[in-house]
Amino acid sequence: MAAASPTILLVDDDEPTRRILRRWLTHLGVRAHVVEAPDGQQALALVEAHCHSPEHSLGLLVILDLNMPIMDGLEFLEHHVQLPPGCRAGTAVIVLSGGMPDAVYHVRVRALATDIQLKPLDIHGLAALVRQHLPTALPS
């Protein structure tokens, strides 16, 4: 039986981006359960399921794209903050953005997300995010 570990959720409609992020996490030796979602709707379902899992207390790092079909990143954030506080506890939502369409949009995202990182994210930036938000997932 595998030991319990924190979870990293990669949310992006661009499969090659998710594949690169997953590859970098593997290269960094990250000890976490990595799951993927191509849109905010599927991501929200995964977050809700995570809330009821034994790994919930170990933390969840969500790396979220903003521009996606079905449910975009801002809609995901708006739904995420409506989850029970116990479900949101231990969860960091990092938005990856190539830029915000306007200042009002930026303020809304900033208010709902843990942090915003500008694209492109590189392996060193990804390592820094994991180190800051899921330090137990990195090898000593």
Side-chain angles (χ1 to χ4, degrees):
M1 182 173 173
S5 60
T7 301
I8 298 173
L9 172 56
L10 306 174
V11 188
D12 198 314
D13 61 318
D14 186 58
E15 192 277 330
T17 297
R18 295 192 318 266
R19 185 176 50 236
I20 289 168
L21 291 172
R22 182 182 281 278
R23 186 176 304 136
W24 287 348
L25 291 167
T26 300
H27 180 75
L28 292 167
V30 170
R31 294 181 303 253
H33 181 64
V34 179
V35 292
E36 300 178 22
D39 61 68
Q41 186 175 27
Q42 288 184 33
L44 193 61
L46 289 168
V47 169
E48 289 172 337
H50 183 264
C51 290
H52 304 292
S53 75
E55 288 81 20
H56 175 68
S57 64
L58 300 173
L60 171 64
L61 173 60
V62 179
I63 299 176
L64 178 70
D65 184 34
L66 285 178
N67 298 314
M68 297 177 290
I70 302 173
M71 179 188 284
D72 68 19
L74 180 57
E75 291 173 291
F76 169 87
L77 290 166
E78 291 170 342
H79 283 84
H80 182 260
V81 298
Q82 294 176 11
L83 294 174
C87 185
R88 293 189 325 265
T91 299
V93 181
I94 309 302
V95 169
L96 294 183
S97 172
M100 304 284 170
D102 59 48
V104 172
Y105 190 88
H106 180 87
V107 167
R108 289 176 67 199
V109 170
R110 171 74 56 202
L112 299 172
T114 306
D115 197 4
I116 300 172
Q117 295 289 316
L118 293 177
K119 287 182 177 181
L121 181 68
D122 63 17
I123 191 169
H124 303 292
L126 181 60
L129 289 176
V130 174
R131 190 173 299 109
Q132 179 179 358
H133 300 287
L134 282 183
T136 59
L138 284 173
S140 309

